[in-house]
Amino acid sequence: MIFEQKLRILFNSKLPYKTGNYGATIDKAIIIARNKSLWRPIGTLDWFPYYGLESLIEAYKTNTLEEYKEKQVKANRQVNAVVKPNVWKDKAKEKELKEFYAHRIKT
């Protein structure tokens, strides 16, 4: 899905969003990647797959993101879009980055 299609879906969802070089931030809570079907909550470094932006938005609206995440990770399609785990070995640097990203998105 091209990014313009993602933006159209976000616009139609009536949720506030902000775009950037990385993709888009939805309601200052989750980030979707620009060129891949991946998302992550603000303040985390791990990316998770989604299969259909509408279903991700619906999970956000109904406050069921954790269940959605588990369902998508366990789906048979996970071989095509596996979780991108955080590979930081330096926990202090990881904490610093999480705080930086969380602060950057709020401004």
Side-chain angles (χ1 to χ4, degrees):
M1 175 182 293
I2 59 175
F3 193 60
E4 288 75 23
Q5 290 173 323
K6 291 180 182 181
L7 292 178
R8 188 173 304 121
I9 292 168
L10 289 176
F11 177 79
N12 291 335
S13 74
K14 308 264 191 284
L15 290 171
Y17 67 93
K18 178 181 169 186
T19 61
N21 291 337
Y22 53 86
T25 302
I26 303 171
D27 201 20
K28 295 185 179 181
I30 60 176
I31 299 172
I32 61 166
R34 176 177 287 275
N35 296 320
K36 298 188 183 224
S37 294
L38 296 172
W39 70 279
R40 70 179 175 92
I42 297 293
T44 66
L45 297 177
D46 295 339
W47 291 87
F48 302 99
Y50 68 84
Y51 305 108
L53 185 54
E54 293 93 346
S55 61
L56 174 63
I57 290 170
E58 185 61 31
Y60 174 73
K61 285 181 174 180
T62 59
N63 203 22
T64 57
L65 278 177
E66 279 301 314
E67 294 88 356
Y68 177 82
K69 176 177 70 173
E70 293 302 318
K71 180 180 175 186
Q72 298 303 312
V73 169
K74 292 178 182 177
N76 288 334
R77 295 188 286 185
Q78 73 181 8
V79 292
N80 295 331
V82 296
V83 174
K84 305 289 185 198
N86 168 16
V87 294
W88 292 94
K89 305 270 190 282
D90 184 349
K91 294 298 178 185
K93 181 70 173 174
E94 176 184 357
K95 183 176 184 237
E96 178 185 324
L97 275 176
K98 285 181 181 181
E99 290 170 356
F100 169 75
Y101 290 138
H103 176 71
R104 180 179 73 177
I105 229 53
K106 291 178 183 176
T107 57

